[in-house]
Amino acid sequence: MAELKADYKQEHFITLSFEQMVYSDIFHSVDTLAGTVQAGWQGRFRLEMPHQQLISNGILYWSYSVENEQVLVDSVADIGGWNPLTLLYDPEGVYQCAGESCSDGECVFTMQALDSETVPSQFTLTADSKSHNPLKIEYIDDNDSRVVIRISDFERLGSIDESTFEFVAPDGVEVIEMP
């Protein structure tokens, strides 16, 4: 974990693609969702999925639903300062590594939440043992469904255009400022 963290500490921006699969025992189904992430230091990120975008410039947070033609605007402080890179840059801030095993070119880190209110309380992060690139995140959600997020096209970048982390509502979209 120390090598992984040290490696990511030097990166300011990343991009990746993902495929999230939610395996439900209750409904005997698998729901799949794909998307992309562009992220950087200081809480800046852009998460794009079909029909939804989540964007933060580190100060404001926009949640845009294409289907509802609506965008919610909140402050990053009010959403807990969430940053998708936190688990790579500073996992000890929210989780501690409870176990680590490496074989066949992959390392699996079992991460345990420090606070009983943190969801998920535990997850596993699989990373390539040489490049340290994340390959998969897996956890059980609030509905006891197994969630697997497969990561591809992972790239470390020196910069990303700052406009990536801003949102301008399209004409006709309702903008709701959260209190």
Side-chain angles (χ1 to χ4, degrees), residues 2 4 18 23 30 44 49 60 69-70 73 76 81 92 101-103 123 128 131 140 154 161 164 166 170 173:
L4 181 75
F18 68 89
Y23 298 86
V30 178
R44 295 176 289 172
M49 301 165 287
L60 294 176
E69 295 184 354
Q70 185 178 75
V73 183
V76 170
E92 288 89 358
S101 64
C102 294
S103 67
F123 72 95
D128 182 280
S131 69
I140 304 297
F154 184 89
D161 190 298
T164 301
E166 295 291 335
V173 169

Side-chain angles (χ1 to χ4, degrees), residues 137-174:
I137 295 172
E138 190 168 346
Y139 62 92
I140 304 297
D141 71 9
D142 290 347
N143 298 318
D144 289 328
S145 296
R146 185 170 62 97
V147 178
V148 177
I149 303 168
R150 296 198 184 279
I151 298 169
S152 61
D153 305 319
F154 184 89
E155 238 185 301
R156 304 166 200 213
L157 303 171
S159 67
I160 292 179
D161 190 298
E162 286 301 314
S163 65
T164 301
F165 308 117
E166 295 291 335
F167 181 79
V168 177
D171 290 339
V173 169
E174 178 184 17

Side-chain angles (χ1 to χ4, degrees), residues 38-47 53-63 74-77 79 81-84 162 164-167:
Q38 297 169 305
W41 283 98
Q42 301 168 332
R44 295 176 289 172
F45 64 88
R46 180 180 206 93
L47 172 62
Q53 294 177 352
L54 307 174
I55 303 162
S56 173
N57 64 5
I59 298 167
L60 294 176
Y61 169 77
W62 296 271
S63 176
D74 212 337
S75 80
V76 170
I79 63 164
W82 182 79
N83 177 344
E162 286 301 314
T164 301
F165 308 117
E166 295 291 335
F167 181 79

Side-chain angles (χ1 to χ4, degrees), residues 4-168:
L4 181 75
K5 183 178 173 186
D7 199 15
Y8 286 104
K9 204 78 156 147
Q10 299 181 32
E11 303 303 326
H12 293 286
F13 300 95
I14 65 165
T15 65
L16 60 89
S17 297
F18 68 89
E19 181 179 55
Q20 174 180 294
M21 291 146 301
V22 179
Y23 298 86
S24 172
D25 289 338
I26 296 170
F27 298 110
H28 306 288
S29 64
V30 178
D31 292 326
T32 304
L33 176 72
T36 60
V37 174
Q38 297 169 305
W41 283 98
Q42 301 168 332
R44 295 176 289 172
F45 64 88
R46 180 180 206 93
L47 172 62
E48 295 192 22
M49 301 165 287
H51 311 294
Q52 188 173 17
Q53 294 177 352
L54 307 174
I55 303 162
S56 173
N57 64 5
I59 298 167
L60 294 176
Y61 169 77
W62 296 271
S63 176
Y64 172 47
S65 169
V66 175
E67 290 176 330
N68 296 334
E69 295 184 354
Q70 185 178 75
V71 62
L72 304 177
V73 183
D74 212 337
S75 80
V76 170
D78 289 340
I79 63 164
W82 182 79
N83 177 344
L85 293 186
T86 297
L87 299 178
L88 299 177
Y89 285 139
D90 188 18
E92 288 89 358
V94 183
Y95 292 88
Q96 65 183 355
C97 187
E100 176 180 337
S101 64
C102 294
S103 67
D104 299 326
E106 295 181 352
C107 291
V108 178
F109 303 95
T110 302
M111 305 301 290
Q112 188 70 41
L114 297 174
D115 183 331
S116 62
E117 300 296 315
T118 302
V119 176
S121 61
Q122 180 178 312
F123 72 95
T124 59
L125 167 65
T126 302
D128 182 280
S129 61
K130 290 183 180 141
S131 69
H132 297 146
N133 288 350
L135 302 171
K136 179 174 71 170
I137 295 172
E138 190 168 346
Y139 62 92
I140 304 297
D141 71 9
D142 290 347
N143 298 318
D144 289 328
S145 296
R146 185 170 62 97
V147 178
V148 177
I149 303 168
R150 296 198 184 279
I151 298 169
S152 61
D153 305 319
F154 184 89
E155 238 185 301
R156 304 166 200 213
L157 303 171
S159 67
I160 292 179
D161 190 298
E162 286 301 314
S163 65
T164 301
F165 308 117
E166 295 291 335
F167 181 79
V168 177

